[in-house]
Amino acid sequence: MKINLIDKKVEADLEIVLTNNIKDLEEKEILEQLGFEAKDETSVFLPESKKIFVGYEDEDYESLAIAITQAVKKIKSTKFTTANLELDCECSSKLKAIVEGIYLSSYEFNTYKSKKEAKKKQTINIIVKKVTKKLEDVLSESKTVTKAVNKVRDMVNTPPADFYPKTMADVAKEIAKDVNIKATVHGEKYLLKNKMNSMYSVGKASTNESKLIHLSYTPKNAKKKVVLVGKGLTYDSGGLSLKPADFMVTMKLDKSGGCAVLGTIWAAAKLGLDVEIHAVVGAVENMVAGNAYKPDDVLTAKNGKTIEVRNTDAEGRLVLADCLCYAQDEIKDIDYIFDYATLTGACVVGVGQYTTGVMGNCEELKKTAVKRSHEAGEYATALDFNRFLRKAIKSQIADVCNIANTRYGGAITAGLFLDNFVYEENKNKWLHFDIAGPAFVESEWGYNPHGGTGAAVRMNINLLKNLTK
């Protein structure tokens, strides 16, 4: 779907009318007869007047983005090629929601369809009173951010036979080349040499070699230095603690955190953000073989801490443990460390499919992250650590256990496990984002399609932009 930002009405096949009150509309009577109400997720197409009416309740990002999504779906179901949408104000936040709603809801993943429908060339003209540089900048930035989101969706949706650790490393190199940033990729020899036994053990049973990916965006006069760490489990069978068959379906999603990190650094470099960013991704496949790591094994992470393995399906935290250590050892004078992972089903149970759980030691930083997430149109909530749950991951034979001795508070105990691999000087600079819920859903919701959603990219860009203010 193409978007034109213009300041005068042009001829078009259709007109989109976003409304939160139908009382003053010419078509009020027919709309009432059709049972149309100006509420979220409602729409009606009047062919005789060639108008699409879409309801919304609030002026916030979510309501407006979902409203325009309804219009996009109507347009895509027709053979019309152009539509006009008039905005009655020059509000940049309103334009941002509408533009991002259009681009995100236009996404399709049909790579594996044997018969592909020809893509329709459809255009929405957004008409404002005056096209200002501020509005043009909003359009440009939103286009870049949503392109990054859709790149992440493509990565997440690609099946594991076609997207394994080497593929992820190759994609990272392509991303780096596209925006002229540095890319470094290490294999398993590096992991062993640098005592990253925790990450190495997770992937050693796979025929696909694990890859440690490090992209660096280093603009001149950067105001902050931020490390983004992503869980890149290109497939997770559960290892010897094998998942039930039904639970293995959709496990291509387990690379969502790593994909979000790659999408974020691409968008940040495209936008020229004045923040130095390092993206560190552990690309690993958790499989079953005679040399697989086992429950009862004790692994030693890069920082020397020992980990008792009681469940090989709690593998993402083992990969992140070494990636966090690597980041802190290799990158100096860090201002913030943020990690992203589809880490626990417990987070989905606790806060729902659509919400990211945010954890860490600094209350203000958590609040800031949640606020920036909501501004960007993503749901997030803070989950608090406590001393009692910390005791639940104590091991009798090692420094820490990779699962808790209780099924309750599983998202938090996973976050507390990661805290063991954040160095003392960085404790209040670190946040953990559990995106297990919103990263991948098997039904459409709002402007998100079935499958990968690109969760965390919009949130990250908004957070990074505001860290320097």
Side-chain angles (χ1 to χ4, degrees):
M1 190 79 65
K2 184 182 177 183
I3 298 175
N4 290 327
L5 184 64
I6 55 179
D7 56 10
K8 60 182 178 181
K9 199 166 186 176
V10 295
E11 188 175 332
D13 300 327
L14 300 170
E15 183 179 348
I16 301 168
V17 180
L18 302 184
T19 180
N20 59 2
N21 186 349
I22 68 171
K23 290 180 181 178
D24 298 324
L25 297 177
E26 287 181 27
E27 296 85 356
K28 174 180 177 244
E29 188 174 336
I30 184 67
L31 290 173
E32 287 178 340
Q33 289 174 346
L34 292 171
F36 174 78
E37 294 184 89
K39 295 188 178 297
D40 287 345
E41 299 185 62
T42 61
S43 63
V44 65
F45 175 37
L46 300 183
E48 65 278 8
S49 61
K50 293 187 177 178
K51 289 184 179 181
I52 298 172
F53 292 89
V54 183
Y56 69 93
E57 296 170 41
D58 300 305
E59 296 279 347
D60 61 13
Y61 180 104
E62 192 74 349
S63 290
L64 292 170
I66 289 174
I68 198 63
T69 295
Q70 298 295 314
V72 168
K73 288 178 180 178
K74 292 286 185 186
I75 295 167
K76 287 174 73 174
S77 70
T78 73
K79 292 185 179 181
F80 296 114
T81 59
T82 55
N84 284 344
L85 168 65
E86 288 192 65
L87 290 187
D88 57 3
C89 71
E90 295 178 21
C91 179
S92 58
S93 61
K94 191 171 184 177
L95 178 65
K96 175 183 171 69
I98 289 169
V99 168
E100 294 185 5
I102 292 170
Y103 284 133
L104 293 174
S105 61
S106 299
Y107 174 83
E108 294 178 1
F109 185 75
N110 57 10
T111 305
Y112 293 88
K113 296 281 188 181
S114 58
K115 293 182 180 179
K116 298 179 176 65
E117 292 183 13
K119 282 191 176 181
K120 299 172 188 173
K121 293 182 179 179
Q122 296 177 313
T123 301
I124 295 179
N125 300 309
I126 300 177
I127 304 161
V128 294
K129 291 178 181 178
K130 183 180 180 182
V131 177
T132 63
K133 185 178 184 304
K134 184 177 181 180
L135 293 182
E136 287 179 329
D137 288 346
V138 169
L139 175 59
S140 177
E141 179 178 308
S142 291
K143 186 175 182 179
T144 297
V145 171
T146 51
K147 189 173 182 179
V149 172
N150 289 335
K151 279 178 179 287
V152 172
R153 289 171 169 180
D154 282 345
M155 286 187 260
V156 173
N157 287 330
T158 303
D162 294 331
F163 202 103
Y164 39 90
K166 183 182 182 301
T167 317
M168 195 168 200
D170 289 343
V171 168
K173 289 176 184 176
E174 289 170 11
I175 284 171
K177 186 177 180 181
D178 185 40
V179 289
N180 195 29
I181 62 176
K182 183 181 177 183
T184 303
V185 176
H186 299 294
E188 291 179 350
K189 285 184 180 179
Y190 180 91
L191 300 182
L192 289 170
K193 182 180 178 181
N194 288 273
K195 299 180 181 179
M196 298 176 71
N197 192 51
S198 184
M199 176 176 164
Y200 169 76
S201 295
V202 175
K204 69 179 183 178
S206 173
T207 56
N208 293 305
E209 183 185 7
S210 298
K211 301 292 182 182
L212 177 64
I213 301 163
H214 181 177
L215 302 189
S216 305
Y217 165 59
T218 54
K220 291 181 180 178
N221 304 315
K223 295 178 181 176
K224 297 288 181 184
K225 185 184 291 187
V226 180
V227 177
L228 309 177
V229 178
K231 172 186 172 183
L233 263 291
T234 59
Y235 193 73
D236 178 22
S237 69
L240 290 180
S241 303
L242 196 66
K243 293 178 184 289
D246 289 351
F247 283 69
M248 273 194 233
V249 178
T250 73
M251 273 300 105
K252 62 183 180 180
L253 70 83
D254 224 15
K255 58 183 178 286
S256 299
C259 295
V261 164
L262 296 179
T264 298
I265 197 169
W266 178 87
K270 277 282 187 185
L271 295 171
L273 299 190
D274 55 355
V275 180
E276 181 175 330
I277 302 170
H278 294 266
V280 177
V281 179
V284 181
E285 201 173 57
N286 186 22
M287 299 297 285
V288 178
N291 66 333
Y293 81 119
K294 307 165 184 69
D296 283 343
D297 277 350
V298 174
L299 312 178
T300 304
K302 193 176 189 298
N303 67 345
K305 287 208 172 184
T306 56
I307 305 163
E308 179 188 359
V309 177
R310 295 186 69 87
N311 189 318
T312 64
D313 195 22
E315 85 301 324
R317 64 199 71 182
L318 300 177
V319 173
L320 287 174
D322 270 343
C323 287
L324 284 166
C325 294
Y326 166 88
Q328 293 167 98
D329 290 341
E330 298 297 320
I331 305 160
K332 304 305 178 186
D333 302 317
I334 299 169
D335 290 302
Y336 299 101
I337 306 173
F338 304 139
D339 77 70
Y340 306 84
T342 47
L343 207 61
T344 66
C347 196
V348 189
V349 172
V351 302
Q353 286 184 302
Y354 313 111
T355 302
T356 293
V358 184
M359 287 159 261
N361 299 295
C362 178
E363 294 303 316
E364 284 305 311
L365 191 55
K366 283 193 292 184
K367 287 177 185 176
T368 297
V370 170
K371 178 184 177 184
R372 299 308 180 197
S373 180
H374 291 170
E375 289 172 351
E378 296 196 53
Y379 297 111
T381 190
L383 299 176
D384 293 336
F385 290 162
N386 69 66
R387 66 178 67 190
F388 303 105
L389 284 176
R390 194 178 293 276
K391 294 176 184 177
I393 54 172
K394 283 188 175 180
S395 168
Q396 297 300 311
I397 63 167
D399 296 329
V400 65
C401 188
N402 81 321
I403 60 168
N405 59 18
T406 173
R407 62 183 294 190
Y408 303 113
I412 298 172
T413 53
L416 286 166
F417 174 89
L418 295 177
D419 183 53
N420 283 274
F421 305 93
V422 177
Y423 302 166
E424 199 60 41
E425 64 270 23
N426 295 321
K427 290 289 187 185
N428 287 323
K429 302 175 182 178
W430 164 70
L431 288 179
H432 163 57
F433 296 83
D434 192 330
I435 60 171
F440 190 101
V441 176
E442 290 195 272
S443 57
E444 291 185 9
W445 52 289
Y447 38 78
N448 293 292
H450 165 280
T453 64
V457 174
R458 289 176 295 150
M459 168 181 70
N460 286 345
I461 294 300
N462 193 42
L463 180 57
L464 291 168
K465 281 173 58 183
N466 284 281
L467 287 176
T468 59
K469 291 182 179 179

